[in-house]
């Protein structure tokens, strides 16, 4: 068919064919598959949170702040949330009169903020735990926790879809993967949101109480923040796949 054509002509035909194939391939490759550039996410500064477990096993976060009051935030089972404050001066007597004892035990996590020493924070936490009959929260399922740690950005997307918090164990659904544009917007907005809330003492105490209840370390929040910056739109799907594989390989208890 190409008999009699010069080498230069054949080379030109070959190059032309390759260019046509390349153009055709590019026309069928959507922009959805193009990776997103990493976002500029400056590291979050150490805000001085400390994690401690009471002798009853209740996780407690506290943060020393220059204020005149002791802030208290509790997150517990069945969407239980309790928040109050007492004057830092004579905080013990104020807690005794302001917090009503509860007999029924309730799994929960506790967070405190105020100008108290570490010892005083432990004393205040122990008093609150005893008064409200707080107990150790359930440990998250190993499979869910491992997938959430490996795909924190994807887990956050599923949680936001159902109105859940940052640290809550995530569960995937049937919703399709977000578009490239939707994911770009999601991760940018979430990075701004996480940074704003973590660096604001008013909202940070509630995040700390949530981290305590779901038994997650402060590092989980910081790692999530960094993971969002480099995440791609496939993260929600990757988390869902991880969860499916983990659950299918998990040993089943005998009846």
């Amino acid at each position: 068919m190409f008999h009699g054509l010069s080498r230069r002509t054949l080379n030109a035909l070959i190059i032309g064919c390759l260019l046509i194939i390349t153009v055709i391939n590019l026309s069928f490759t959507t922009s959805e598959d193009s990776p997103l550039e990493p976002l500029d996410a400056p590291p979050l500064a150490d805000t001085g949170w400390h994690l401690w477990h009471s002798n009853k096993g209740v996780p407690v976060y506290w943060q020393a702040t220059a204020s005149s009051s002791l802030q208290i935030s509790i997150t517990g089972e069945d969407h239980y949330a309790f928040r109050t404050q007492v004057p830092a001066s004579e905080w013990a007597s104020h807690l005794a009169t302001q917090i009503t004892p509860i007999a029924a035990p309730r799994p929960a996590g506790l967070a405190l903020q105020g100008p108290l020493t570490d010892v005083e924070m432990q004393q205040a936490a122990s008093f609150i735990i005893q008064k409200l009959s707080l107990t150790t929260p359930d440990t998250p399922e190993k499979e869910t926790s491992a997938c959430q740690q490996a795909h924190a950005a994807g887990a956050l997307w599923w949680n936001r879809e159902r109105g859940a918090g940052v640290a809550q164990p995530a569960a995937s659904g049937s919703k399709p993967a977000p578009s490239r544009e939707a994911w770009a917007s999601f991760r940018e907005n979430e990075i701004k949101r996480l940074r704003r809330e973590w660096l604001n003492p008013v909202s940070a105490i509630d995040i700390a109480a949530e981290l305590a209840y779901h038994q997650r370390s402060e590092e989980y929040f910081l790692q999530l923040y960094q993971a969002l910056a480099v995440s791609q739109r496939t993260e929600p799907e990757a988390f869902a796949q991880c969860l499916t594989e983990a659950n299918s390989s998990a040993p089943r208890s005998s009846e």
Side-chain angles (χ1 to χ4, degrees):
M1 178 178 178
F2 298 107
H3 181 70
L5 295 178
S6 67
R7 181 179 295 273
R8 178 176 297 179
T9 302
L10 286 174
N11 287 339
L13 286 172
I14 293 172
I15 293 173
C17 290
L18 290 175
L19 288 173
I20 293 173
I21 293 172
T22 301
V23 170
I24 293 174
N25 286 335
L26 289 175
S27 67
F28 284 99
T29 302
T30 65
S31 59
E32 293 293 295
D33 299 320
S34 302
L36 293 164
E37 292 293 327
L39 292 175
D40 180 21
L44 293 174
D46 182 4
T47 51
W49 282 103
H50 301 277
L51 176 61
W52 174 71
H53 288 78
S54 73
N55 57 8
K56 292 191 176 182
V58 177
V60 180
Y61 270 106
W62 75 69
Q63 181 189 49
T65 57
S67 63
S68 59
S69 62
L70 175 65
Q71 303 287 336
I72 302 165
S73 180
I74 303 173
T75 296
E77 190 178 57
D78 298 329
H79 307 290
Y80 172 75
F82 176 82
R83 189 165 190 194
T84 190
Q85 64 178 23
V86 298
S89 59
E90 300 181 0
W91 56 266
S93 59
H94 288 293
L95 285 178
T97 57
Q98 190 163 325
I99 295 184
T100 304
I102 297 177
R106 184 190 300 276
L110 171 63
L112 303 172
Q113 283 176 335
L116 277 60
T117 66
D118 289 357
V119 173
E120 289 174 325
M121 286 289 193
Q122 292 181 1
Q123 292 173 341
S126 297
F127 182 87
I128 295 168
I129 290 168
Q130 182 178 2
K131 273 269 194 174
L132 297 179
S133 300
L134 304 183
T135 60
T136 308
D138 294 334
T139 302
E141 290 185 9
K142 182 178 179 181
E143 292 79 12
T144 302
S145 185
C147 288
Q148 192 150 347
Q149 193 76 36
H151 303 284
L156 179 65
W157 186 81
W158 287 109
N159 273 348
R160 295 307 196 202
E161 284 294 305
R162 58 193 182 99
V166 170
Q168 186 169 331
S172 60
S174 57
K175 189 177 177 67
S179 66
R180 184 178 185 274
E181 182 180 358
W183 184 258
S185 177
F186 171 81
R187 69 175 193 168
E188 183 175 359
N189 290 337
E190 282 298 327
I191 280 181
K192 292 178 180 177
R193 176 178 176 180
L194 294 182
R195 184 176 186 83
R196 180 178 65 251
E197 293 181 347
W198 185 249
L199 298 180
N200 181 356
V202 176
S203 52
I205 188 172
D206 293 330
I207 295 176
E210 183 186 350
L211 290 171
Y213 174 61
H214 295 294
Q215 301 199 56
R216 300 194 186 279
S217 66
E218 179 184 354
E219 284 70 29
Y220 175 78
F221 185 91
L222 302 180
Q223 289 168 4
L224 167 62
Y225 172 80
Q226 293 295 336
L228 277 168
V230 297
S231 63
Q232 302 296 324
R233 75 180 190 93
T234 53
E235 268 298 291
E237 186 179 357
F239 170 77
Q241 181 65 27
C242 176
L243 207 58
T244 299
E245 294 175 356
N247 290 333
S248 63
S249 62
R252 299 180 182 276
S253 59
S254 58
E255 297 183 359

